[in-house]
């Protein structure tokens, strides 16, 4: 793990001193990244490089959750409505997220953590959306009535029995190709940093 102090130039030539922390991974990420970098304005006495890396690791899990709520579970309603309606929609998405987390836990319990990580949130949600209406027609209401009275152990055993028969290869994430190398800078190649405000003002004049 390495770090260095850099200065960011903002509007009016204002500067902000930050720390750039670079972490070289033993194994590349799913996207093929070998190095991860962070910027922080926290001084070293307040947060060491290791502390900053650990905090961002926790932040990624929160951002992944909100990404799932927004892109898969539709927590943001497109149509205009009253604020309580938007809050209700968000709460429904949170409840659906808890239910989905339970499904992933059943997959981990039956097939292991690595298999659960290969599942695509989008494909699983699309499958549920397609089949729920058919299940409402094919499965009578009486079949669902005992479920609210089940214990956590009974629910877990039922979910794991379903996961034993699931064809998980249908819901695997799409494989991403290798990243293209970053193109070399042609404008302002001799400068390490160019303020965006200067670029905009130069184009306008």
């Amino acid at each position: 793990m390495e770090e260095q102090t850099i200065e960011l130039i903002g509007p009016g030539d204002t500067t902000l001193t930050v720390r750039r922390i670079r972490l070289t991974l033993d194994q590349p990420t799913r996207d093929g990244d070998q190095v991860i970098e962070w910027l922080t304005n926290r001084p070293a006495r307040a947060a060491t490089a290791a502390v900053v890396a650990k905090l961002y690791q926790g932040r990624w899990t929160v951002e992944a959750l909100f990404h799932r709520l927004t892109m898969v579970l539709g927590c943001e309603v497109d149509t205009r409505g009253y604020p309580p309606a938007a809050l209700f929609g968000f709460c429904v998405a949170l409840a659906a997220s808890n239910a989905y987390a339970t499904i992933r836990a059943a997959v981990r319990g039956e097939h292991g953590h690595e298999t659960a990580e290969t599942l695509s949130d989008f494909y699983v949600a699309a499958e549920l959306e397609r089949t729920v209406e058919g299940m409402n027609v094919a499965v009578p209401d009486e079949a669902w009535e005992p479920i609210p009275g089940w214990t956590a152990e009974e629910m877990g055993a039922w979910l794991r029995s379903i996961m034993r028969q699931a064809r998980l290869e249908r819901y695997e994430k799409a494989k991403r190709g290798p990243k293209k190398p970053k193109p070399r800078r042609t404008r302002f190649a001799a400068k390490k940093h160019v303020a965006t405000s200067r670029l905009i003002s130069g184009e306008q004049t």
Side-chain angles (χ1 to χ4, degrees):
M1 185 176 294
E2 305 172 346
E3 70 172 272
Q4 66 177 146
T5 302
I6 62 176
E7 289 187 350
L8 303 178
I9 303 176
D13 291 337
T14 58
T15 60
L16 175 64
T17 302
V18 299
R19 298 158 57 207
R20 179 169 65 180
I21 299 172
R22 174 179 296 176
L23 176 64
T24 302
L25 304 175
D26 296 332
Q27 296 180 350
T29 63
R30 186 182 64 206
D31 297 331
D33 296 326
Q34 191 74 42
V35 177
I36 301 178
E37 294 181 336
W38 301 278
L39 292 178
T40 177
N41 62 349
R42 299 291 293 172
R45 64 179 181 275
T48 63
V51 170
V52 172
K54 190 171 184 61
L55 289 174
Y56 269 87
Q57 182 181 13
R59 176 181 175 181
W60 286 337
T61 60
V62 177
E63 290 182 350
L65 170 62
F66 276 93
H67 177 78
R68 187 182 303 120
L69 289 174
T70 304
M71 304 303 297
V72 180
L73 300 176
C75 70
E76 295 183 358
V77 182
D78 294 334
T79 57
R80 296 180 179 180
Y82 293 104
L87 181 60
F88 175 75
F90 180 75
C91 293
V92 170
L94 282 177
S97 177
N98 290 335
Y100 178 65
T102 305
I103 295 175
R104 290 183 68 93
V107 175
R108 287 195 300 269
E110 195 63 31
H111 300 281
H113 177 77
E114 293 184 358
T115 301
E117 290 300 312
T118 64
L119 294 182
S120 166
D121 296 332
F122 175 80
Y123 290 149
V124 173
E127 175 71 12
L128 294 175
E129 186 176 3
R130 285 194 300 265
T131 59
V132 64
E133 293 187 3
M135 291 182 62
N136 289 335
V137 174
V139 181
D141 295 340
E142 295 77 15
W144 305 105
E145 291 179 356
I147 294 180
W150 286 357
T151 63
E153 290 75 13
E154 292 174 327
M155 175 65 73
W158 179 62
L159 289 175
R160 292 188 63 166
S161 66
I162 294 175
M163 293 308 162
R164 294 190 195 102
Q165 307 174 52
R167 297 172 54 188
L168 299 181
E169 65 275 5
R170 297 176 55 186
Y171 314 109
E172 291 182 353
K173 297 177 182 177
K175 299 295 188 298
R176 177 177 177 177
K179 281 189 174 181
K180 296 181 180 179
K182 185 178 180 180
R184 299 185 64 179
R185 181 189 292 180
T186 56
R187 296 183 61 193
F188 307 101
K191 297 182 179 180
K192 295 183 179 179
H193 173 79
V194 180
T196 305
S197 59
R198 294 181 179 177
L199 292 176
I200 295 176
S201 62
E203 292 177 357
Q204 290 177 345
T205 57

